[in-house]
Amino acid sequence: VLASASAALAAIAVASGGFQAVRTLRRPLPYADSSRLVSCYQIHFASMSLGVQARYVRPWQQQCRTLEGLEAYSPRRMNVSAEGAGGAAEPVEALRVTPGFFRLLGTEARLGRLFRPEDAAGESVAVLAWSYWQRRFGGNPGAVGRTVWIDGQPARVVGVLPESFWFRSPGIRVWTLLPNLDSADPSLRLVSTVGRLKGAYTPEEARHELQRVAFSSSRFRGGAFRVVTLEQSLRPNLQVAALVFVASGVLAAAIALVQLLRSMGKAGDT
């Protein structure tokens, strides 16, 4: 009976995570002047995928005048251990980003600091989501400066994000830096990008410029370019995450409740 009760409580906790995601849907995006932020991507019809050719990012950063800035990111599932190279590793959702990512969003650290341009050429560093810092490190400020092992490689924790911060999904736990976008790393063939519109420029004006710069820097002409507000880009992701959390939590809670009632019935018979 005790095991069934514990399972029911765990299922309810999962469902509560979904309801928290639903509440997040109602809040403004947690970024400075978020209405000026845009998502820039390509639709690749041949492969039916979304993303930007990594080789476009540097020319966009250097040549585009419709944007104040543009940064890249790429989601990835990583194994993280806080007990050293031989410690038990936990699989977590992570986001790899370019060094100016948080600065572009206008985000400041809750504890420690966030990424800096010089981090790209230095030791491996990581930033933790507030919820992961609370659960994995008990909210201990001493977590900043510690070394964690990510996919078997050491990385120094430099900061913790604010509790209200999320990007792409509330389930992102760890943030690391993207490798050099000019490298031949096959995992960097496609990345996602976020930009901040300059002045009175519109998403459509930014789209025209991004396409022009991309075509002038590469012979490749495939894929339709799109620029939409970040609000339009992120809300569907959060809605899907909320629905998955709620549905899985409710289903698990229902199954656990049935098991609990059966266990109580058997206990009563004896």
Side-chain angles (χ1 to χ4, degrees), residues 173-219:
R173 303 292 183 238
V174 176
W175 305 72
T176 63
L177 287 176
L178 275 168
N180 187 340
L181 293 179
D182 298 323
S183 70
D185 187 338
S187 70
L188 294 179
R189 188 177 70 84
L190 292 180
V191 296
S192 299
T193 58
V194 57
R196 183 177 289 279
L197 292 172
K198 181 186 293 185
Y201 286 113
T202 66
E204 182 60 16
E205 289 172 321
R207 186 191 71 80
H208 277 290
E209 183 179 44
L210 292 173
Q211 179 172 289
R212 177 183 58 77
V213 172
F215 286 173
S216 68
S217 62
S218 172
R219 291 178 296 177

Side-chain angles (χ1 to χ4, degrees), residues 12-238:
I12 292 171
V14 172
S16 69
F19 292 120
Q20 176 62 38
V22 171
R23 286 194 293 271
T24 303
L25 272 172
R26 301 175 179 271
R27 301 172 186 165
L29 295 179
Y31 323 122
D33 197 12
S34 62
S35 64
R36 305 300 298 166
L37 292 170
V38 291
S39 177
C40 315
Y41 61 93
Q42 284 177 281
I43 302 174
H44 301 274
F45 299 106
S47 59
M48 296 303 293
S49 59
L50 299 178
V52 167
Q53 297 286 327
R55 62 176 177 268
Y56 293 157
V57 174
R58 203 73 66 204
W60 282 353
Q61 290 176 327
Q62 296 170 349
Q63 300 177 41
C64 287
R65 298 293 176 261
T66 55
L67 300 175
E68 290 182 5
L70 180 137
E71 300 295 335
Y73 63 93
S74 177
R76 185 168 182 171
R77 193 165 180 82
M78 296 180 169
N79 295 309
V80 180
S81 171
E83 281 82 34
E90 174 188 12
V92 301
E93 296 301 322
L95 208 65
R96 299 183 299 169
V97 302
T98 43
F101 180 84
F102 292 115
R103 182 176 182 180
L104 178 76
L105 299 182
T107 302
E108 296 183 355
R110 163 68 173 77
L111 188 69
R113 67 170 179 86
L114 302 181
F115 298 134
R116 298 170 178 167
E118 56 267 29
D119 289 329
E123 64 176 328
S124 295
V125 292
V127 169
L128 307 180
W130 187 90
S131 59
Y132 187 70
W133 171 61
Q134 288 287 324
R135 178 175 64 81
R136 191 67 184 81
F137 297 93
N140 182 359
V144 173
R146 284 188 57 176
T147 296
V148 296
W149 293 77
I150 301 176
D151 287 344
Q153 300 298 318
R156 182 169 59 90
V157 175
V158 295
V160 176
L161 287 160
E163 181 178 4
S164 61
F165 182 86
W166 64 273
F167 187 89
R168 191 175 183 274
S169 165
I172 302 297
R173 303 292 183 238
V174 176
W175 305 72
T176 63
L177 287 176
L178 275 168
N180 187 340
L181 293 179
D182 298 323
S183 70
D185 187 338
S187 70
L188 294 179
R189 188 177 70 84
L190 292 180
V191 296
S192 299
T193 58
V194 57
R196 183 177 289 279
L197 292 172
K198 181 186 293 185
Y201 286 113
T202 66
E204 182 60 16
E205 289 172 321
R207 186 191 71 80
H208 277 290
E209 183 179 44
L210 292 173
Q211 179 172 289
R212 177 183 58 77
V213 172
F215 286 173
S216 68
S217 62
S218 172
R219 291 178 296 177
F220 179 73
R221 295 291 185 271
F225 287 85
R226 296 288 185 270
V227 175
V228 299
T229 66
L230 194 61
E231 176 94 16
Q232 291 175 281
S233 174
L234 291 185
R235 291 301 185 189
N237 287 328
L238 192 56

